[in-house]
Amino acid sequence: MTACREPASVLIERLSNGETTSLELTEACLAEITSHDGAVGAFLHVAGDSARQAAESIDRRRAAGEPLGRLAGLPVAVKDVLVTRDQPTTCGSRMLEGWTPPYDAHTVEKLRDADAVLIGKTNMDEFAMGSTTENSAFGPTRTPWQLDCVAGGSSGGSAAAVSAGFAPLAVGSDTGGSIRQPASFCGVVGLKPSYGRVSRYGLVAYASSLDQVGPFARDVAGAAMLLEVLAGHDRRDGTSVDQPVPPYGQQLEKPVDGLRIGICPDHFGDGLDPEVREAVERALDIYRGLGADVQEIELPHSRFAVACYYLVAPSEASSNLARYDGIHYGRRTDDHDGLVEMYSNSRGAAFGTEVKRRIMLGTYALSAGYYDAYYLKAQKVRRLIQQDYSQAFADVDVIASPVAPTPAVRLGQLTDDPLQMYLADAYTISANLAGLPGVSIPAGFSQDGRPIGLQLLANAFTEDRLLRAAAMHERETDWHLATPTFAGDAC
Ligand code: GLN
């Protein structure tokens, strides 16, 4: 097995007892990227030399006995939606092509403080809008398990990077499922934290009331370790919550006593792929075998979640993306006759189809005369969805469900039909609307070898219990140990 496919905790151990060096590990990851990323498409920027230099400097400091950070020497890949002062940041868009930001996102600062090696920026749907990474202006990301299928999205590059062994850890963002769904399609662990747990400072905004930054790893312990580094208060983000960060990794071995799991019958209705249903049911049996109590819960408003999300998210996006006007930010076209035409031609040339669609949807929903009927109504529905969860979490510790209705789909299968693509987000978006933490963990494979994830959601700021519940399943299974084959056509 290549070094970068080992779980992060094993690699940290090897680095600290001198069995390997950060430079060796970084070279191993770079070699994997060189061999396979042409077919996978996980990276938009690979930080070869700067990663080597960072690794060497950490190795020197280790040799000199200096104190080192929590992730010392470990290569970490970062979604291209987080600004980095020494690496370009495009958000998967022509609008920002060629831009290197003058500062670091809070989470990128945290990675540097933890002595991680930033190995590159990962591919994503343009401005994080999408579920397949096919909306990237720079080509799609494929799941390393089957190269004619998508990696999921919008953080497809980060999920694929961990799955392929390009980096043991990666960072993504999740507005409506963009960490959990690609984690499911790529067979890795991906966690969306509670809203406010991780600072959004330097995360390029899509829908600010929903966006959260979170970890990808090969196992639950790796996700816990990275979450510990990313989480914490930051006064530069007004929604960042000032609560201590629990030592998520410390209690993972401890099962949740008398674990109560809620399942919502609506999550198992029409449109759910039978192999996904089977995987979720098998996972529930595993939990039952461990003594968990699995009970039905009601989420009466969850059937409105897709409609609600696709009003709230585009509305916020239309406002957030107004800044890309060719003057304040972004690409300016020379092809114009006057100011208004300069705005519209710049935006027309540099934004992709899906981004334009969201801007139009959002502008319409917020416009005078329609605001009450669409945006305001959606906010009221959002509150009802939140209340459903508060009631459910009075009776259960976690809610289990599929992550997505199907395993990874073929390239092109969803792009022609935006409505189908939106509907496929049905299981993930309510957690964002309600601000709850959620995780996708490997739970099986389809017969033709595509990974299937299990989603667990928990009450706000109970990531510690969520991770412990996830670890209980992981200890009983070996899905997370399987490695991808890079099979299929990279056509
Ligand atoms: N698929 C959803 C969307 O397109 C979620 C994306 C995300 O979480 N960034 O909006």
Side-chain angles (χ1 to χ4, degrees):
M1 194 195 298
T2 66
C4 288
R5 287 228 180 111
E6 301 279 2
S9 52
V10 170
L11 293 173
I12 293 276
E13 187 68 36
R14 291 218 180 126
L15 284 163
S16 60
N17 66 22
E19 260 177 65
T20 188
T21 64
S22 177
L23 186 59
E24 273 170 16
L25 212 52
T26 303
E27 292 291 7
C29 292
L30 291 171
E32 286 297 299
I33 295 171
T34 307
S35 305
H36 294 294
D37 203 37
V40 174
F43 283 92
L44 293 178
H45 174 78
V46 180
D49 284 341
S50 72
R52 288 186 184 97
Q53 276 160 20
E56 274 172 339
S57 139
I58 291 158
D59 287 338
R60 268 199 305 275
R61 285 168 51 209
R62 196 189 297 275
E66 285 180 32
L68 294 171
R70 186 89 169 75
L71 302 178
L74 215 58
V76 179
V78 175
K79 184 178 182 182
D80 209 26
V81 70
L82 288 160
V83 299
T84 39
R85 64 172 151 70
D86 54 357
Q87 294 183 30
T89 299
T90 66
C91 288
S93 182
R94 298 267 172 224
M95 186 56 97
L96 290 176
E97 197 176 7
W99 180 55
T100 298
Y103 69 106
D104 275 336
H106 178 79
T107 40
V108 171
E109 280 175 357
K110 291 272 205 175
L111 291 172
R112 292 194 208 269
D113 291 348
D115 291 317
V117 172
L118 302 185
I119 196 149
K121 303 295 290 289
T122 58
N123 201 2
M124 54 182 282
D125 285 300
E126 185 174 9
F127 288 104
M129 298 175 193
S131 310
T132 64
T133 311
E134 289 167 292
N135 295 337
S136 167
F138 308 106
T141 306
R142 299 154 193 270
T143 177
W145 293 91
Q146 217 159 86
L147 295 173
D148 41 9
C149 292
V150 300
S154 64
S155 316
S158 288
V162 171
S163 165
F166 299 159
L169 296 174
V171 181
S173 69
D174 190 313
T175 304
S178 279
I179 291 176
R180 291 159 287 156
Q181 187 257 26
S184 168
F185 283 14
C186 292
V188 298
V189 176
L191 184 139
K192 177 200 103 67
S194 311
Y195 188 76
R197 183 68 287 186
V198 177
S199 168
R200 292 178 297 110
Y201 178 78
L203 166 71
V204 176
Y206 163 15
S208 311
S209 76
L210 304 161
D211 299 338
Q212 266 297 287
V213 178
F216 285 98
R218 301 197 71 83
D219 61 6
V220 174
M225 187 193 299
L226 183 52
L227 178 61
E228 239 173 272
V229 168
L230 300 174
H233 182 237
D234 172 23
R235 56 180 181 73
R236 296 169 299 185
D237 169 3
T239 59
S240 158
V241 170
D242 193 359
Q243 274 192 23
V245 179
Y248 295 118
Q250 236 170 56
Q251 306 264 337
L252 286 180
E253 300 298 314
K254 215 174 118 207
V256 180
D257 254 354
L259 177 67
R260 295 162 308 163
I261 300 179
I263 48 166
C264 176
D266 298 352
H267 290 158
F268 297 86
D270 286 349
L272 181 61
D273 181 293
E275 290 185 300
V276 175
R277 179 196 306 265
E278 221 174 276
V280 173
E281 278 167 4
R282 185 175 49 225
L284 291 171
D285 282 341
I286 289 171
Y287 279 113
R288 284 192 192 94
L290 293 169
D293 170 43
V294 179
Q295 52 179 278
E296 282 193 6
I297 51 150
E298 277 178 35
L299 297 169
H301 299 93
S302 69
R303 68 201 164 95
F304 301 119
V306 171
C308 175
Y309 173 88
Y310 277 99
L311 284 167
V312 173
S315 296
E316 293 184 20
S318 71
S319 164
N320 277 327
L321 271 63
R323 73 192 65 170
Y324 305 105
D325 58 6
I327 294 182
H328 295 93
Y329 286 96
R331 170 167 297 214
R332 182 187 306 179
T333 176
D334 293 330
D335 162 31
H336 62 83
D337 183 15
L339 185 66
V340 172
E341 209 179 280
M342 189 189 79
Y343 288 145
S344 64
N345 288 1
S346 297
R347 287 164 71 82
F351 283 140
T353 312
E354 185 60 27
V355 171
K356 286 179 189 158
R357 183 179 293 122
R358 307 277 176 114
I359 291 173
M360 285 191 280
L361 276 171
T363 306
Y364 183 79
L366 290 175
S367 57
Y370 294 108
Y371 180 93
D372 288 2
Y374 295 114
Y375 184 73
L376 193 66
K377 187 79 158 272
Q379 292 294 17
K380 290 178 179 169
V381 173
R382 180 177 186 174
R383 172 53 64 92
L384 295 173
I385 290 171
Q386 284 166 349
Q387 281 171 359
D388 286 352
Y389 278 106
S390 307
Q391 271 163 22
F393 284 123
D395 298 325
V396 298
D397 301 302
V398 296
I399 295 173
S401 75
V403 181
T406 63
V409 294
R410 284 186 174 274
L411 272 95
Q413 195 174 317
L414 286 178
T415 36
D416 292 342
D417 190 345
L419 186 60
Q420 280 310 314
M421 171 117 57
Y422 299 170
L423 289 170
D425 293 334
Y427 301 117
T428 47
I429 51 192
S430 337
N432 302 75
L433 291 167
L436 305 174
V439 68
S440 171
I441 53 175
F445 288 89
S446 65
Q447 270 196 344
D448 59 4
R450 291 167 295 156
I452 298 174
L454 169 77
Q455 175 172 253
L456 297 175
L457 302 182
N459 215 346
F461 294 92
T462 63
E463 280 87 350
D464 43 352
R465 205 161 4 146
L466 178 65
L467 286 159
R468 279 167 58 207
M472 288 168 70
H473 177 269
E474 190 178 82
R475 276 194 292 277
E476 300 296 312
T477 55
D478 49 16
W479 308 116
H480 63 291
L481 301 175
T483 52
T485 46
F486 303 104
D489 286 336
C491 44

